[in-house]
Amino acid sequence: MLNNMTPAVSRALDYARSQSSRFSSRDLLVGLLEEEGLVWEIFEKSGYQPGAVKETLRQQADAEFLRGYDLLQGAGKPFASEGYMDLTSNMLLFDLIEADEELKKILQETVGNFQDLVKSIAPPEMKAIEAEHHLELVDTPDHQAAWRVIDANANRVRESFRVLDDYSRFVLNDPHLTQTAKSLRHDFAKIVEQFPAGLVSSRDTDYDVGTQIQAAGEYRRNSTAEIAMVNCKRLQESLRSLEEYLKIESSALGQDCEQLRYQCYTLEKMLAVRQVSPQKLFDARLYVLLTGSECESSLEWTIKEAAEGGATMFQLREKNLEDRILLERARAVRRWTRETQTLFIVNDRPDIARLVEADGVHLGQDDMPLTEARKLLGIQSIIGVSTHDIVQVRQAIRDGANYIGVGPTFPSTTKAFDAFPGLDFVKAVAAETTLPFFVIGGVDANNTCEVVKAGGKRVAVSSALAKAKDPRLAALKLVRLLGGES
Ligand SMILES: Cc1ncc(COP(=O)(O)OP(=O)(O)O)c(N)n1
Ligand SMILES: Cc1ncsc1CCOP(=O)(O)O
Ligand SMILES: [Mg+2]
């Protein structure tokens, strides 16, 4: 066997041992996949779903696998002649598959390209895999101390990522955020793969005075949201510390941690925006866009009737008013929406929204960028963004939108369009995110059922209410069709 194991292999071994003192080759492979690092990536690149492979392996309790210890005896042999000093996770994967016919059979029968998998880890191709170009450990006491700090912080980062993963997945139930947290976790695993062999031996919990010192606040959290925010901070602080201490060894790794830290700020922003958005926004089903001159009756009457019927959110969408008149009208709408206890959003104009103390602003793709509007309005304001494809949806989420408009879905008499992303786009957004989204464009009582079937829970309408003889009844019908309480 090769002299040392990389930290990733050492952790896989720890995992296998934790399963049984007579652990098998299967336990080692599950341990490697638990890392969600290089081996995970190798499986992914070969067309496998690594999570599914792990589950399949876990279910094979009765299969005849080789004993893990026997296998480790000769591990890495094919690579030793190539001049490799340490047993890395991809070498161990190669050994596991080569030596254990049972494992081989399972992987051949699982969806994925087994040939590609073997090819990508066979000895001649080894040098092409960059993720395990680890550094050599300089063995002075000061370097050892630095690596103890690095090791401790790497663990904190891993733990915080797990917490945020769980929060995105199980609390927010959000595919986009879960994917973002997971991919950041994988990026971090790739950085750790480059740490020197032997790093694990610098960890010494018995002598770590920090394990005994715990602030009282660490034991108590008031909400899952607080847990997420505390872990975002912990993540960033640990990455910052890693960034500094890694400089003793490699400025490139320090910079990788710095980049990752910036991406974690974006993750924090995406999570925070869900927490500060008012409950009324999550509860909103019917959002009404109004232009004074387009209302069948007066703006005030339309708002009040629609609110009676169950509309809980209004947008003032004036395209042709002079600023003074617009400001005056926006002030009036603010009054009426306060009276009806509904949300008030100004279209296009963060400045007007701020002056009249509206709840927020709505921005299109050609309007002021969200990040600039946020500087004017602050974190407490609602900022909505129009989206017409999934790339714009992902960008709006990353920028910290509180909600998105999704459309145009059907032809509209309010605004002319050349293209309609339609209901397929609604389905795609519903599968991507749990951020509140409003389906817009020609939505009325005749097509709301289709919207609901496509996964839309909220709609934004203009003519369906503004042109209605009885806006209260029109609102009531739409809210009923959406399945919400009126
Ligand atoms: C809820 C909602 N969704 C989309 C829009 C459209 O905004 P935009 O693309 O900027 O077009 P205009 O409304 O400004 O003409 C919206 N206003 N509201
Ligand atoms: C402003 C806008 N942006 C996308 S569709 C639309 C108009 C919505 O009005 P209507 O509900 O009357 O189609
Ligand atoms: Mg606009």
Side-chain angles (χ1 to χ4, degrees):
M1 186 175 126
L2 294 164
N3 295 342
N4 289 311
M5 320 180 164
T6 59
V9 173
S10 178
R11 282 191 295 272
L13 179 56
D14 283 349
Y15 171 87
R17 280 197 189 115
S18 73
Q19 300 303 299
S20 153
S21 56
R22 292 174 58 83
F23 65 88
S24 69
S25 58
R26 172 193 71 152
D27 299 319
L28 281 170
L29 181 48
V30 173
L32 286 174
L33 284 166
E34 276 287 303
E35 278 289 298
E36 301 198 3
L38 182 63
V39 167
W40 183 282
E41 197 185 333
I42 290 170
F43 271 97
E44 253 177 358
K45 282 191 179 149
S46 309
Y48 283 91
Q49 287 193 328
V53 172
K54 200 164 71 171
E55 271 323 299
T56 308
L57 290 169
R58 280 204 174 119
Q59 286 160 16
Q60 303 291 327
D62 300 331
E64 298 268 311
F65 296 105
L66 293 181
R67 282 194 57 190
Y69 270 119
D70 297 344
L71 207 137
L72 280 169
Q73 294 309 313
K77 245 192 206 153
F79 300 89
S81 56
E82 298 283 318
Y84 290 91
M85 306 286 288
D86 304 321
L87 179 66
T88 60
S89 45
N90 48 333
M91 291 180 192
L92 179 57
L93 174 63
F94 178 78
D95 284 324
L96 291 172
I97 297 175
E98 274 299 291
D100 195 321
E101 284 304 319
E102 195 64 40
L103 268 187
K104 197 186 272 182
K105 200 172 102 214
I106 292 170
L107 293 177
Q108 281 167 336
E109 287 168 0
T110 308
V111 178
N113 193 326
F114 184 73
Q115 297 304 332
D116 280 2
L117 179 73
V118 175
K119 237 205 245 149
S120 69
I121 52 175
E125 258 76 32
M126 274 290 300
K127 284 170 187 142
I129 297 172
E130 280 175 16
E132 293 224 4
H133 279 317
H134 34 265
L135 307 164
E136 288 307 318
L137 195 63
V138 181
D139 209 17
T140 66
D142 194 42
H143 272 80
Q144 282 176 4
W147 280 110
R148 270 167 59 95
V149 177
I150 292 166
D151 185 34
N153 279 291
N155 280 324
R156 283 187 199 124
V157 170
R158 264 192 292 269
E159 289 159 8
S160 298
F161 269 134
R162 276 280 173 208
V163 175
L164 295 175
D165 240 24
D166 288 346
Y167 181 73
S168 310
R169 189 167 161 208
F170 299 115
V171 179
L172 295 180
N173 202 6
D174 189 287
H176 182 88
L177 288 174
T178 307
Q179 183 52 42
T180 305
K182 185 173 153 197
S183 103
L184 291 176
R185 191 152 53 82
H186 285 188
D187 289 349
F188 183 66
K190 279 186 228 152
I191 295 175
V192 172
E193 300 258 356
Q194 298 172 70
F195 288 1
L199 171 57
V200 174
S201 63
S202 69
R203 190 188 313 162
D204 193 343
T205 317
D206 286 346
Y207 290 100
D208 181 356
V209 289
T211 55
Q212 311 301 321
I213 305 168
Q214 214 121 20
E218 282 184 47
Y219 288 113
R220 179 110 200 105
R221 302 272 179 254
N222 294 314
S223 64
T224 54
E226 188 185 338
I227 291 169
M229 286 301 107
V230 166
N231 275 278
C232 279
K233 289 281 173 279
R234 187 171 185 247
L235 181 59
Q236 290 152 15
E237 285 162 10
S238 307
L239 282 168
R240 183 75 187 91
S241 183
L242 276 175
E243 198 179 310
E244 281 305 312
Y245 281 90
L246 277 166
K247 285 181 189 160
I248 203 164
E249 206 68 58
S250 145
S251 61
L253 283 180
Q255 281 164 14
D256 288 350
C257 287
E258 185 182 7
Q259 286 309 315
L260 195 63
R261 183 163 56 86
Y262 293 142
Q263 290 172 38
C264 290
Y265 289 135
T266 306
L267 177 65
E268 181 185 19
K269 185 169 69 180
M270 294 194 283
L271 294 173
V273 91
R274 313 279 175 116
Q275 300 176 0
V276 295
S277 286
Q279 186 59 39
K280 268 191 188 160
L281 176 63
F282 293 102
D283 294 342
R285 293 285 171 270
L286 178 58
Y287 179 12
V288 183
L289 282 60
L290 293 172
T291 308
S293 59
E294 297 294 321
C295 288
E296 184 72 10
S297 185
S298 79
L299 190 55
E300 179 179 2
W301 182 81
T302 310
I303 289 175
K304 291 185 173 170
E305 286 298 300
E308 280 276 308
T312 54
M313 193 162 166
F314 291 91
Q315 181 184 122
L316 181 63
R317 180 175 177 271
E318 297 289 357
K319 291 287 178 181
N320 301 310
L321 290 187
E322 286 170 7
D323 279 6
R324 277 168 190 256
I325 314 275
L326 174 60
L327 189 58
E328 207 177 296
R329 186 160 298 174
R331 284 215 164 98
V333 175
R334 175 68 292 185
R335 265 200 321 280
W336 301 326
T337 48
R338 281 229 163 93
E339 284 165 28
T340 51
Q341 296 181 16
T342 51
L343 290 174
F344 172 36
I345 306 293
V346 176
N347 189 37
D348 294 341
R349 299 287 298 267
D351 54 341
I352 303 280
R354 186 173 165 158
L355 284 171
V356 306
E357 297 176 15
D359 295 297
V361 70
H362 185 90
L363 301 168
Q365 291 292 321
D366 297 327
D367 297 324
M368 181 186 288
L370 190 160
T371 45
E372 300 297 326
R374 186 65 80 195
K375 290 179 197 162
L376 287 176
L377 293 174
I379 182 76
Q380 299 295 339
S381 281
I382 298 173
I383 304 188
V385 175
S386 309
T387 61
H388 316 298
D389 59 45
I390 204 75
V391 175
Q392 291 175 356
V393 169
R394 290 179 186 145
Q395 188 60 48
I397 297 172
R398 262 198 303 278
D399 289 343
N402 299 82
Y403 76 84
I404 50 178
V406 167
T409 309
F410 307 108
S412 162
T413 51
T414 306
K415 188 169 172 176
F417 296 97
D418 295 331
F420 294 88
L423 290 167
D424 283 344
F425 180 38
V426 176
K427 282 183 202 157
V429 179
E432 178 80 20
T433 184
T434 52
L435 191 76
F437 70 88
F438 294 86
V439 178
I440 188 166
V443 175
D444 59 25
N446 297 318
N447 53 31
T448 297
C449 281
E450 290 176 62
V451 170
V452 172
K453 246 190 234 155
K457 292 182 184 152
R458 303 173 177 88
V459 295
V461 303
S462 187
S463 53
L465 268 277
K467 302 290 182 206
K469 290 268 178 296
D470 186 344
R472 194 185 65 82
L473 193 62
L476 205 68
K477 262 193 197 161
L478 285 173
V479 173
R480 285 218 178 113
L481 288 167
L482 288 163
E485 298 296 311
S486 64

